[in-house]
Amino acid sequence: VSENQPYRTAFHFQPPQNWLNDPNGPMYYGGVYHLFYQYNPYGAVFGNRMIWAHSISYDLINWIHLNHAIEPTEPFDINSCWSGSVTILPGNRPVILYTGVDANNYQVQNLATPKNLSDPFLREWVKFSKNPIMTPPNGIKVNEFRDPTTAWRGLDGKWRVIIGSELNNHGMAILYQSEDFVSWTKYQHPLYISEETGMWECPDFYPVSINSTNGVDTSVQNPSVKHVMKASFNSHDYYTLGNYDSQMERFISESDFTGTSLDLRYDYGKFYASKTFFDNVKNRRILWGWVNESDSTEDDIEKGWSGLQSIPRRVWLDKSGKQLLQWPVEEIETLRDSQVSIHGKKLSSGAVFELSGITAAQADVEVFFEVPELEEAEFMDPTGVDPQLFCGKENASGNGRLGPFGLLTLASKDLTEQTAIFFRVFRGPRRYIVLLCSDQSRSSLREEVDKTTFGSFVDIDPRLEKISLRSLIDHSIVESYGGEGRTCITTRVYPMLASDEGMHLYLFNNGSSSVVISRLDAWSMKRAKINGKESLRYRA
Ligand code: FRU
């Protein structure tokens, strides 16, 4: 394993070594945030004996690694303990539902409970003696039945949970019900079945308030909420909004999943198998997602690790009711260190301007752009335009009228290597169109790295508000939030020249019209304490 680790992150969650994937069972319990995650203790690649690793935190930023929570030991999970969720039962009793890959390689659902509820770290978990509690139903492939959600309790007092599955290319959420959380009955029809998608992994189903940015408990059902259905397929996390009809036991979506760029996604870059939980201390719903590598497997092995968790994000419904908004949890701001600010600076056509005074490889940048010459915008008919493909073609080095303008992150001094996070603004048939791109094409001189460019539209009207971008830059990851959390793009970057000290951060404008940085605040970020071993005592 390499000693030289320029790509390890400073404030993103990662274990000291080896492979990580999905976040599992996030929760708040006894004053402590818990994060479990899919982990291969035996190497930097996915494995055939996956376990639930476990870490805890007081602030979602600094973490203490604990012993593994669940490992393959029994016939019902001997070939892996796969993804699942936590539900907190009445009386403040957390339970884990997880997928076991059993001795026959069937996917089954299992239950585990804490050994000692008075240990706020919940270090030890006991598997239920009568596992499995759900086995693949008739007609469902035995290897397409996994990833139980957090359960919710209906008005009739019964518990419900959904499991990801698929039938003839219809991804779906199979619904189970239970009176006692132990014996579960499959409901006659799925809670939702999509037109045409792949197998649904890691579904998530939860209410969001219509008139408030606060989160609500997963069991809340009343006219003041809408429901979110999230499904992971085609390497992306798609969601749709709708209503949960609890009488009919159906989720009525406002628009079906198509698996195309028309679908809503949490993130238009790398972000998968995510999961939310309700944090009742701060009344917010928090989203975690797995961000995988874009480096080669050989390089992952050489580095000795693979995979990150995103910065935990608060998630709530936009005022428009048409989409979710996301924002890094406020606790991340405690890592902010030295700051630079800019007010009212013009970026003329062709400008490249270095933002010095902060650590370019470890930064939090928030910028608001103003576009004074909106009437200069080129025309675009967005019908049929795939924004990701568009960003790949019309990259940062090209020039339009309004944009590309934005940030050049993780850049070498001579700009040979650069990851451009930028906007383009167009005039559409009815309104202005804003596009956010994350251009990896020049991110690294190394050839084996996947440099796919990402992009999506941002639903803002530049006549009424400034075009904002917040990027969290952390050595080999850039997490960007466009339009105050309307469009997120996360990317992984492995620059060769831009070593730690040699990293630079620039603002640029390649459009023919000038733009104005109406406000910019950027901070060096401190390193979070993400410890190799349990090293803090419980602070009573
Ligand atoms: C999603 C997934 C889940 C499965 C887990 C195994 O990334 O494939 O469906 O439970 O990872 O680690």
Side-chain angles (χ1 to χ4, degrees), residues 19-24 37-39 46-47 50-52 80-84 99 101 107 146-148 199-203 232 272-274 290:
W19 167 277
L20 152 160
N21 58 296
D22 316 356
N24 292 154
Y37 54 96
Q38 288 289 287
Y39 182 66
F46 187 72
M50 296 296 292
I51 68 140
W52 277 46
S80 273
C81 299
W82 278 7
S83 287
T99 298
V101 181
Q107 294 170 6
R146 60 179 180 271
D147 308 337
M199 156 80 193
W200 277 21
E201 298 187 305
C202 300
S232 303
Y272 194 68
S274 65
W290 166 41

Side-chain angles (χ1 to χ4, degrees), residues 93-246:
R93 291 180 298 127
V95 294
I96 284 174
L97 278 177
Y98 71 99
T99 298
V101 181
D102 78 3
N104 300 316
N105 283 314
Y106 282 34
Q107 294 170 6
V108 299
Q109 316 315 324
N110 300 320
L111 197 72
T113 51
K115 187 166 182 185
N116 174 9
L117 279 175
S118 59
D119 168 18
F121 285 8
L122 302 174
R123 288 179 181 80
E124 288 180 80
W125 290 79
V126 182
K127 295 173 190 171
F128 180 51
S129 58
K130 300 207 178 69
N131 281 338
I133 51 166
M134 299 169 206
T135 55
N138 281 339
I140 295 296
K141 296 199 185 106
V142 297
N143 62 351
E144 291 189 338
F145 179 63
R146 60 179 180 271
D147 308 337
T149 58
T150 296
W152 68 97
R153 202 175 193 186
L155 303 171
D156 56 6
K158 274 195 226 163
W159 289 100
R160 274 101 174 142
V161 77
I162 53 175
I163 316 287
S165 191
E166 177 269 342
L167 195 59
N168 307 325
N169 286 322
H170 301 285
M172 64 174 168
I174 302 182
L175 178 68
Y176 279 79
Q177 298 186 334
S178 174
E179 304 268 359
D180 58 2
F181 224 87
V182 166
S183 72
W184 292 84
T185 317
K186 186 174 86 74
Y187 195 69
Q188 60 212 45
H189 60 72
L191 183 68
Y192 192 77
I193 175 150
S194 58
E195 261 312 305
E196 190 152 329
T197 73
M199 156 80 193
W200 277 21
E201 298 187 305
C202 300
D204 197 9
F205 184 61
Y206 57 90
V208 283
S209 298
I210 294 171
N211 288 315
S212 159
T213 62
N214 285 344
V216 289
D217 182 84
T218 309
S219 292
V220 168
Q221 280 172 47
N222 63 44
S224 73
V225 301
K226 271 193 188 189
H227 271 76
V228 179
M229 178 70 85
K230 185 278 287 189
S232 303
F233 56 88
N234 293 357
S235 310
H236 301 305
D237 276 15
Y238 299 93
Y239 70 88
T240 171
L241 298 166
N243 285 306
Y244 171 40
D245 180 339
S246 55

Side-chain angles (χ1 to χ4, degrees), residues 11-24:
F11 56 90
H12 279 77
F13 180 92
Q14 59 181 141
Q17 58 184 22
N18 296 334
W19 167 277
L20 152 160
N21 58 296
D22 316 356
N24 292 154

Side-chain angles (χ1 to χ4, degrees), residues 15 67 78 83 111 137 284 290 327 352 409 439 452 498 507 518 535:
N67 288 340
I78 195 69
S83 287
L111 197 72
R284 55 187 175 173
W290 166 41
W327 201 244
V352 183
T409 67
D439 175 5
T452 308
L507 285 120
S518 73
S535 53

